[in-house]
């Protein structure tokens, strides 16, 4: 069975189009959210680790190195088994400080732009062999399926196709965000395709070639050398096993694509915790088929390179669908790696190579420039990989090419040690160690590879060194590069001192390091299980039972944060006499997941409340200074408790510390039932509202709408962080105070006043409307009289058409007034934000003004451009322009010109309304926004127009200013935020289940 090149090319392009469609569907929200954001989707997206090396090359690696191929997966499993002390701290650092690449991470930790540049350059060079591996795997798979030499331009065509799709996946929009939900879903789908294809080929190998598991066992018993060939390399070269396990361990989270999918595209710790077992399970399933495919391929396709036994077996099956599925699995493996890697490397290069050298001008469109630069970097990186593919010899195995990149990323392991474990590490130590490791890597791996390709000759041979050491190339390169790297890193760091900036960055990183774990126990049973691993089952049970008895706690009740603190302190005190205070402190801190800083804050908060409660209940009469302090304490506490605005405070562990009386009335939740509980235990909608507000960057939220007891309520929220005054330059605590202000009555009053002002505007237009309607009514009457005596059918039909036209004109006038009088009555209770073109709002307001007699006598020139689009409530904005134009019309002389202009200004839509009328006296300008203030005669105005204009503009996050001089006219300037790009909106506003206005 053979295939045509055109068929394979069309199948590959159609498959990539399907992936793009999946990504586009997820980004547009058409895919169910539970699918797009499920932890399983995230775990599958990490399957980008399984490239052509894993899909094709693992079989060839098993043929030449036996069970050593398992190290590529065991190292990853080990890395994810250490998720709580390795991956989670890195995720927190990357999330908290908005670090999107490994270069960002090291530049932040070692406070060095040079570190970011060196990491980026080395990563670019180190990954090129891996990109070349993917290109070669695809082209040679085409050779296997077509049984003809692949055209020279096939590899270039594949690269150009991937350039297009890489841009579509990650550089399609002018948005600065790094998170691409559609990419995660698409890569997860690709991982499923790879897994299904490899398992189907494995099933064919067992049942199609051998006839079943029993027959396979019989075949192996007759050929023990097949099993021995897998065991022998491991027995003969145990050092290689350790070296390659270490390389896979580093690659699991340091390869650009792995770092991007593990940390940049993920913000949820629960996803990473789920992936700590789900991703190794995926790799295990992927690994099950390798050995059966190796044995079956050696029987059915001995003339094919073992790297491509997967394709050879599918061809021998005779099932065209299996061949196509297997080929698409290979395309998945290669394309996923290249797309994600180029996206990660392009972002890294943009931040650390391009932007530091490029000086932006003030007239640059920053987003457009960044987008074009990133697209150019994607093209450059993929074409550089293609160039590396051209110079490589084709006899190098797929796995050998991949190991070159693995040894490269392993050079960052010492830097990770400094990041998480060693605050004493310095910038100079990191740069020295990394430079030394790079030098050894180049000498032992990169330059020999280039020399074997025939492109350059360096005139040296490392074979004598390899023979003297008794190591394989990969073991030798891994050992000596890390020895040189680590030695220089430690030595240079110890010879110098960290700068103040480095020390601060180290402290920031170590708050989430191994020594400060955040995983906490929730019940005494969980704590007993943890302590049993260190103290033994009997000792752990006895010590926990004693501590619970001392505190009067039950062994079955859950442990809220403050109770957990008290229990930890009691256990630590009891253990101090048994194993010493230092060891007792370390064990309790580690096993209970208590962060020192948070422990101090929660400890102080708990004891302060405990002391206050005891003082409140105490009958002891204090004297002197103690009495004065107690009186002052009671006074301040009473003020906080009796404030007419809701006040609550939240501790570092998201625990409610205080909840005043007004907050109890607003929420219906009693203080004693809320204090000391986690935010997650609060009923909705309060739990979601407070949690999302704390996570956000805004310190103030205006008019948040919630449904409480079946009634809509509006609230303003204010937030202030609680910093530790003794922390010095340490990052502040994550505790916060939140003020909740009930705005429901004010909102209702504003809605009523808005409707009143609208009706007042209609009243002022009434005379003009009557005249406007009177003209067509007179015309209709005349036409109707003539129609009675009209005998010609055509003339009668023409008169009827004119009557219909005039009736439509009357209806349009009436509908315009009715719409203006009613619009916003329901929306005032539930404002609807929509795309609003300001010119259209102004046009409608102008038409309403021209219905009045005074409006007909003035010239209104709307010069606002069509491109000014905002997110707003159109009827309320029309109300704004009606009020402003009404004032301008009344201030102008008959025939006077009123000009409306618009422009863009730094993300804002600026609208100016200018009249040339009588102007406003300087002493009155400051009062014109006061309710019920008016300069008109009694009965001519309500004094509510401009205050309502001010309120509506404020609700739209805008501003209004007035410039006026008596006799020279008035200019009113409105500034409103322009509509953001939809993708930018998604990155700035996290979805919240609570209802909001």
């Amino acid at each position: 069975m053979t295939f045509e090149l055109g068929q394979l090319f069309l199948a590959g392009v159609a498959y990539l189009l399907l992936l793009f469609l999946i990504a586009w569907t997820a980004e547009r929200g058409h895919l169910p959210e539970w699918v797009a954001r499920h932890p399983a989707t995230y775990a599958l997206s990490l399957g980008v680790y399984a490239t052509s090396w894993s899909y094709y090359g693992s079989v060839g690696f098993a043929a030449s190195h036996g069970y050593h191929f398992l190290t590529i997966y065991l190292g990853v499993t080990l890395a994810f088994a250490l998720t709580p002390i390795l991956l989670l701290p890195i995720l927190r650092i990357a999330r908290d400080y908005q670090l999107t690449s490994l270069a960002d991470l090291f530049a932040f930790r070692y406070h060095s732009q040079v570190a970011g540049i060196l990491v980026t350059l080395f990563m670019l060079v180190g990954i090129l062999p891996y990109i070349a591996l993917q290109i070669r795997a695809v082209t040679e798979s085409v050779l296997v399926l077509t049984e003809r030499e692949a055209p020279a331009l096939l590899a270039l065509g594949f690269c150009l196709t991937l350039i297009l799709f890489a841009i579509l996946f990650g550089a399609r929009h002018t948005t600065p965000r790094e998170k691409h939900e559609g990419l995660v879903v698409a890569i997860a789908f690709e991982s499923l395709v790879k897994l299904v294809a490899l398992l189907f080929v494995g099933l064919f190998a067992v049942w199609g070639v051998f006839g079943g598991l029993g027959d396979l066992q019989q075949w192996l018993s007759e050929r023990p050398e097949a099993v021995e060939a897998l065991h022998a390399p491991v027995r003969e070269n145990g050092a290689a096993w350790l070296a390659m396990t270490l390389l896979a361990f580093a690659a699991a989270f340091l390869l650009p694509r792995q770092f991007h999918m593990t940390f940049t595209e993920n913000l949820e710790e629960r996803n990473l915790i789920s992936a700590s077992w789900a991703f190794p399970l995926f790799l295990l399933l992927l690994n099950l088929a390798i050995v059966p495919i190796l044995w079956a391929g050696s029987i059915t396709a001995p003339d094919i390179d073992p790297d491509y036994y997967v394709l050879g077996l599918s061809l021998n099956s005779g099932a065209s669908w299996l061949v196509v599925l297997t080929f698409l699995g290979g395309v998945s493996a290669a394309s996923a790696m290249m797309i994600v890697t180029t996206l990660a490397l392009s972002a890294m290069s943009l931040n650390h190579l391009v932007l530091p050298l490029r000086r932006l001008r003030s007239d640059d469109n920053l987003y457009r420039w960044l987008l074009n630069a990133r697209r150019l970097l994607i093209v450059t990186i993929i074409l550089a990989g293609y160039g590396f593919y051209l110079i490589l010899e084709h006899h190098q195995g797929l796995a050998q090419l991949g190991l070159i990149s693995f040894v490269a990323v392993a050079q960052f392991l010492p830097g990770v040690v400094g990041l998480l474990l060693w605050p004493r590490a310095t910038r100079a130590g990191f740069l020295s160690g990394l430079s030394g490791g790079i030098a050894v890597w180049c000498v032992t791996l990169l330059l020999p590879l280039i020399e074997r390709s025939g492109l350059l000759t360096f005139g040296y041979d490392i074979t004598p060194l390899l023979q003297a050491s008794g190591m394989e190339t990969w073991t030798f390169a891994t050992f000596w590069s890390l020895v040189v790297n680590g030695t220089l890193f430690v030595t240079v760091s110890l010879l110098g001192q960290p700068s103040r900036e480095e020390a601060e960055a180290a402290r920031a990183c170590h708050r989430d390091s191994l020594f400060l774990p955040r995983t906490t126990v929730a019940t005494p049973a969980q704590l007993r299980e943890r302590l049993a691993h260190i103290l033994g089952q009997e000792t752990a049970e006895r010590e926990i039972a004693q501590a619970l008895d001392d505190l009067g706690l039950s062994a079955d009740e859950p442990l809220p944060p403050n109770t957990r603190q008290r229990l930890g302190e009691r256990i630590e005190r009891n253990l101090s006499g048994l194993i010493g205070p230092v060891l007792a402190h370390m064990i309790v801190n580690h096993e209970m997941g208590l962060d020192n800083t948070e422990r101090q804050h929660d400890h102080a908060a708990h004891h302060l409340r405990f002391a206050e409660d005891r003082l409140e209940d105490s009958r002891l009469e204090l004297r002197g200074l103690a009495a004065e302090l107690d009186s002052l304490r009671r006074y301040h506490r009473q003020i906080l408790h009796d404030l007419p605005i809701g006040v609550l405070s939240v501790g570092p562990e998201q625990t409610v510390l205080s909840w005043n009386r007004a907050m109890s009335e607003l929420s219906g939740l009693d203080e004693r039932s809320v204090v000391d509980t986690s935010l997650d235990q609060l009923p909705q909608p309060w739990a979601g509202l407070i949690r999302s507000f704390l996570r956000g960057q805004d310190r103030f939220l205006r008019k948040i709408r919630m449904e409480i007891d079946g009634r809509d309520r509006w609230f303003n929220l204010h937030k202030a962080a609680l910093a530790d005054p003794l922390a010095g330059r340490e990052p502040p605590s994550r505790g916060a105070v939140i003020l909740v202000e009930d705005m429901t009555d004010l909102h209702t009053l504003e809605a009523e006043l808005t409707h009143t002002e609208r009706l007042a505007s209609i009243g002022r237009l009434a005379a003009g409307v009557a005249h406007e309607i009177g003209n067509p009514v007179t015309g209709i009457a005349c036409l109707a009289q003539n129609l009675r005596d009209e005998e010609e059918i055509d003339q009668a039909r023409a008169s009827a058409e004119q009557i219909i036209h005039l009736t439509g004109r009357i209806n349009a006038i009436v509908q315009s007034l009715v719409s203006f009088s009613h619009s916003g009555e329901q929306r005032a209770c539930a404002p609807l934000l929509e795309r609003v073109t300001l010119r259209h709002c102004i046009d409608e307001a102008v038409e309403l003004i021209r219905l009045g007699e005074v409006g007909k006598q003035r010239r209104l020139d709307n010069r606002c451009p069509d491109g000014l689009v905002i997110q707003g409530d159109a009827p309320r904005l029309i109300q704004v322009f009606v009020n402003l134009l009404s004032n301008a019309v009344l201030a102008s002389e008959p025939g006077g010109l009123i000009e409306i202009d618009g422009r863009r200004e730094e993300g804002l839509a600026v609208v100016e309304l200018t009249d040339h009328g009588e102007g406003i006296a300087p002493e009155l300008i400051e009062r014109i926004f006061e309710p019920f203030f008016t300069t008109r005669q009694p009965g001519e105005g309500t004094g509510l127009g401009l205050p309502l204009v001010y309120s509506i503009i404020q609700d739209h996050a805008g501003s209004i200013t007035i410039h006026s001089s008596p006799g020279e006219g008035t200019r009113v300037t409105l500034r409103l935020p322009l509509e953001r790009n939809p993708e930018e909106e998604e990155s700035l506003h996290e979805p919240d289940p609570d209802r909001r206005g």
Side-chain angles (χ1 to χ4, degrees):
M1 179 186 301
T2 59
F3 289 81
E4 294 297 326
L5 176 62
Q7 295 175 325
L8 297 178
F9 179 77
L10 289 177
V13 172
Y15 177 68
L16 291 175
L17 284 172
L18 173 62
L19 291 179
F20 176 71
L21 178 62
I22 293 172
W24 182 84
T25 302
E27 286 183 358
R28 290 291 180 178
H30 302 315
L31 199 67
E33 185 173 317
W34 68 269
V35 173
R37 300 190 177 182
H38 197 279
T41 302
Y42 168 71
L44 283 172
S45 72
L46 298 179
V48 71
Y49 175 82
T51 63
S52 297
W53 172 1
S54 304
Y55 191 78
Y56 291 133
S58 286
V59 179
F61 198 58
S64 59
H65 289 76
Y67 281 126
H68 276 132
F69 83 92
L70 292 173
T71 60
I72 306 305
Y73 305 98
L74 293 177
V76 179
T77 302
L78 177 61
F80 275 81
L82 297 177
T83 291
I85 59 177
L86 176 65
L87 302 185
L88 275 179
I90 296 177
L91 174 63
R92 293 180 185 125
I93 295 168
R95 178 189 61 195
D96 293 345
Y97 298 100
Q98 299 297 301
L99 309 176
T100 60
S101 68
L102 195 64
D104 288 351
L105 190 67
F106 287 135
F108 171 78
R109 164 58 182 89
Y110 299 103
H111 199 74
S112 170
Q113 185 178 6
V114 176
I117 293 173
L118 181 60
V119 170
T120 302
L121 288 174
F122 182 48
M123 194 70 84
L124 284 169
V125 176
I127 295 302
L128 288 181
Y130 217 155
I131 295 177
L133 182 156
Q134 314 307 316
I135 300 172
R136 198 182 117 195
V138 171
T139 55
E140 294 193 0
S141 66
V142 171
L143 170 63
V144 172
L145 294 179
T146 59
E147 297 183 359
R148 292 194 299 272
E149 187 68 30
L153 293 179
L154 175 63
L156 179 60
F158 174 67
C159 291
L160 294 178
T161 304
L162 280 190
I163 287 173
L164 173 62
F165 281 96
I167 291 174
L168 288 176
F169 274 109
R172 193 169 74 255
H173 301 298
T174 55
T175 170
R177 67 178 185 150
E178 287 294 334
K179 189 168 175 60
H180 309 93
E181 188 173 273
L183 176 66
V184 174
V185 177
I187 298 300
F189 178 79
E190 281 198 308
S191 298
L192 276 178
V193 171
K194 289 183 290 192
L195 178 62
V196 170
L198 209 55
L199 288 178
F200 267 117
V201 176
L203 290 174
F204 172 74
V206 175
W207 273 272
V209 176
F210 292 106
L213 292 174
D215 294 330
L216 174 59
Q217 185 64 37
Q218 177 66 28
W219 184 84
L220 291 175
S221 64
E222 295 173 357
R223 295 169 181 81
E225 66 276 8
V227 177
E228 177 60 22
L230 296 175
H231 285 285
V234 180
R235 286 198 304 268
E236 297 169 1
N237 195 355
W241 179 278
L242 295 177
M244 284 190 283
T245 301
L246 178 64
L247 294 179
F249 173 84
F253 62 101
L254 295 179
L255 280 170
R257 66 180 188 276
Q258 291 305 117
F259 190 96
H260 188 81
M261 299 307 296
T262 306
F263 305 118
T264 304
E265 295 291 353
N266 173 47
L267 296 177
E268 297 290 339
E269 293 184 10
R270 69 183 183 94
N271 288 342
L272 190 53
I273 292 172
S274 299
S276 65
W277 61 265
F279 181 46
L281 176 62
F282 167 82
L283 294 179
L284 173 64
L285 294 175
L286 201 68
N287 221 22
L288 289 177
I290 300 300
V291 174
I293 290 174
L294 171 63
W295 290 332
S298 64
I299 297 173
T300 61
D303 54 334
I304 294 180
D305 188 328
D307 279 339
Y308 300 99
Y309 276 174
V310 175
L311 284 173
L313 280 178
S314 63
L315 283 171
N316 288 329
S317 71
S320 58
W321 65 269
L322 182 58
V323 178
V324 173
L325 178 63
T326 306
F327 173 71
L328 293 181
V331 172
S332 285
S335 61
M337 179 273 171
M338 292 182 66
I339 289 173
V340 178
T341 298
T342 52
L343 290 180
L345 289 177
S346 65
M348 195 185 304
S349 302
L350 184 64
N351 292 338
H352 296 279
L353 300 181
V354 178
L355 286 177
L357 301 176
R358 169 72 155 83
R359 178 172 295 179
L360 293 175
R361 298 186 301 271
S362 59
D363 58 343
D364 281 340
N365 184 328
L366 180 59
Y367 285 168
R368 174 59 59 182
W369 186 89
L370 290 174
L371 180 68
N372 290 333
R374 190 162 186 181
R375 288 172 175 172
L376 182 60
L377 286 169
I378 289 173
V379 174
T380 303
I381 292 168
I382 293 182
L383 291 183
Y386 172 71
F388 205 89
Y389 158 80
L390 292 178
I391 67 174
L392 289 180
E393 61 164 331
H394 284 254
H395 299 292
Q396 192 82 7
L398 296 181
Q400 281 73 15
L401 286 176
L403 282 171
I404 295 177
S405 296
F406 273 34
V407 177
V409 297
Q411 304 311 308
F412 300 116
L413 282 176
V416 173
V417 172
L419 175 79
L420 297 179
L421 304 178
W422 194 30
R424 183 67 174 73
T426 66
R427 173 194 309 126
F430 172 73
L431 294 175
S432 301
L434 182 58
S435 299
I438 292 173
V440 176
W441 176 79
C442 288
V443 170
T444 56
L445 293 179
L446 182 63
L447 297 184
L449 179 67
I450 295 175
E451 189 171 26
R452 285 195 302 272
S453 71
L455 181 66
L456 296 173
T457 301
F458 300 101
Y460 75 94
D461 187 6
I462 65 168
T463 304
L465 293 175
L466 295 176
Q467 292 174 348
S469 65
M471 300 180 185
E472 284 190 339
T473 305
W474 318 112
T475 309
F476 182 86
T478 302
F479 176 77
W480 284 109
S481 64
L482 289 178
V483 165
V484 172
N485 190 338
T487 302
L488 289 173
F489 178 61
V490 173
T491 304
V492 176
S493 293
L494 292 176
L495 291 176
Q497 289 291 333
S499 66
R500 179 174 58 84
E501 292 81 6
E502 290 177 77
E504 290 177 0
R507 284 196 296 271
C509 293
H510 283 235
R511 287 174 62 87
D512 289 290
S513 70
L514 171 65
F515 298 110
L516 296 176
R518 299 295 183 87
T519 55
T520 57
V521 295
T523 64
Q526 291 180 357
L527 177 59
R528 185 184 304 112
E529 181 180 349
R530 289 192 180 187
L531 289 180
H533 292 297
I534 298 177
L535 303 176
Q537 188 70 32
E538 182 180 351
T539 304
E541 291 180 356
R542 184 170 62 249
E543 291 300 327
I544 291 177
Q546 180 63 48
L548 292 172
D549 185 62
D550 292 343
L551 296 174
L553 299 174
S554 169
D556 299 325
E557 65 181 271
L559 296 176
N562 293 310
T563 303
R564 184 168 62 248
Q565 297 287 356
R566 294 166 54 204
L567 180 61
E569 292 165 5
R570 177 62 64 175
I571 293 175
E572 182 179 330
R573 187 181 307 171
N574 294 345
L575 286 176
S576 294
L578 182 66
I579 58 177
V582 176
L583 190 55
H585 179 75
M586 291 178 60
I587 289 174
V588 171
N589 252 9
H590 187 274
E591 296 306 325
M592 295 197 70
L594 302 179
D595 173 271
N596 288 338
T597 304
E598 295 181 0
R599 181 176 183 175
Q600 292 169 6
H601 281 280
D602 283 343
H603 176 83
H606 165 72
H607 282 285
L608 180 60
R609 287 196 304 276
F610 177 76
E612 286 186 340
D613 292 340
R614 291 293 299 271
L615 285 172
E616 292 295 329
D617 298 336
S618 175
R619 299 178 180 273
L620 182 65
E621 183 177 352
L622 301 177
R623 297 181 183 277
L625 181 60
E628 293 180 10
L629 290 175
D630 181 57
S631 177
L632 184 62
R633 177 195 62 79
R634 292 174 184 268
Y635 177 70
H636 286 161
R637 186 177 185 184
Q638 195 64 36
I639 289 175
L640 183 65
H641 194 65
D642 292 341
L643 275 177
I645 187 172
V647 180
L648 66 111
S649 60
V650 180
E653 288 194 344
Q654 305 290 289
T655 305
V656 178
L657 301 180
S658 65
W659 190 274
N660 76 343
R661 181 180 300 162
M663 197 66 213
S664 297
E665 294 174 355
L666 289 177
S667 63
L669 303 174
D670 183 71
E671 177 186 6
R672 292 189 178 275
S673 66
V674 171
V675 172
D676 283 346
T677 63
S678 170
L679 286 180
D680 294 331
Q681 296 175 336
L682 294 180
Q684 294 294 352
W686 295 103
L689 174 66
I690 297 172
R691 191 170 56 248
S692 62
F693 185 37
L694 287 173
R695 283 201 304 260
Q697 299 297 319
D698 295 330
R699 299 175 65 87
F700 173 66
L701 293 179
R702 180 180 173 85
K703 289 189 179 178
I704 302 301
R705 183 173 64 91
M706 295 195 303
E707 184 176 320
I708 300 176
D709 297 331
R711 178 190 172 198
D712 283 339
R713 304 282 294 275
W714 283 263
F715 299 98
N716 286 352
L717 272 66
H718 308 256
K719 175 177 63 178
L722 292 175
D724 183 0
L726 302 178
R729 301 186 65 86
E730 288 281 347
S733 165
R734 286 180 295 170
V737 171
I738 297 177
L739 306 182
V740 182
E741 185 180 6
D742 190 355
M743 304 297 293
T744 304
D745 293 340
L746 179 61
H747 184 85
T748 303
L749 178 60
E750 285 182 354
E752 294 174 354
L753 291 178
T754 301
H755 187 56
T756 300
E757 176 62 17
R758 186 178 292 108
L759 295 179
S761 299
I762 293 173
R764 289 192 293 270
L765 297 174
V769 171
H771 181 269
E772 193 74 16
I773 293 177
N775 287 336
V777 167
T778 301
I780 290 173
C782 293
L783 289 169
Q785 291 174 10
N786 294 337
L787 193 60
R788 285 184 308 180
D789 302 323
E790 190 63 60
E791 295 181 358
E792 295 186 9
I793 298 299
D794 292 341
Q795 194 65 32
R797 185 177 290 112
S799 297
E801 290 292 337
Q802 292 182 39
I803 290 174
I804 292 172
H805 172 73
L806 293 173
T807 305
R809 182 180 172 189
I810 295 172
N811 183 64
I813 295 170
V814 173
Q815 287 300 319
S816 179
L817 283 174
V818 170
S819 174
F820 182 57
S821 65
H822 288 292
S823 64
E825 289 183 0
Q826 299 302 319
R827 297 160 80 106
C829 296
L832 175 62
L833 295 182
E834 56 190 356
R835 296 182 80 251
V836 177
T837 302
L838 292 178
R839 179 179 178 86
H840 296 166
C841 288
I842 297 171
D843 283 339
E844 191 163 344
V846 168
E847 291 300 320
L848 288 167
I849 293 299
R850 283 175 175 163
L851 291 176
E853 189 63 32
V854 178
K856 294 188 180 74
Q857 300 172 6
R858 274 68 168 174
R859 292 178 296 148
L860 286 82
D861 186 7
N862 181 10
R863 300 193 294 244
C864 183
D866 288 327
L868 296 182
V869 180
I870 70 169
Q871 284 284 329
D873 188 353
R876 299 181 75 201
L877 290 171
I878 294 171
Q879 174 77 54
V880 166
F881 292 115
V882 166
N883 287 359
L884 294 177
L885 291 173
S886 295
N887 291 341
V889 163
L890 292 174
S892 302
E893 297 294 331
L897 174 64
I898 299 167
E899 302 162 289
I900 306 107
D901 297 287
R903 65 180 185 276
R904 293 174 176 267
E905 186 179 282
E906 297 180 353
L908 298 174
V910 180
V911 179
E912 292 184 344
L913 292 87
T914 305
D915 67 63
H916 305 280
E918 58 192 28
I920 305 173
E923 63 272 13
L924 300 180
I925 287 183
E926 294 184 358
R927 300 189 58 197
I928 58 177
F929 291 118
E930 295 178 6
F932 305 108
F933 175 79
T934 180
T935 58
R936 302 178 193 170
Q937 297 299 318
E940 294 183 0
T942 63
L944 293 175
L946 287 177
L948 287 175
V949 167
Y950 180 83
S951 176
I952 294 171
I953 295 299
Q954 286 286 304
D955 287 347
H956 285 76
S959 64
I960 177 172
T961 56
I962 295 182
H963 301 275
S964 182
S965 298
E968 296 182 5
T970 301
R971 184 174 72 254
V972 180
T973 304
L974 305 177
R975 287 180 171 83
L976 294 163
L978 284 168
E979 180 188 41
R980 289 191 179 96
N981 186 291
E983 284 78 10
E984 188 179 351
E985 282 292 322
E986 294 173 11
S987 68
L988 292 175
H989 297 284
E990 185 176 350
D992 185 14
D994 303 323
R995 298 179 60 199
R996 294 190 174 190

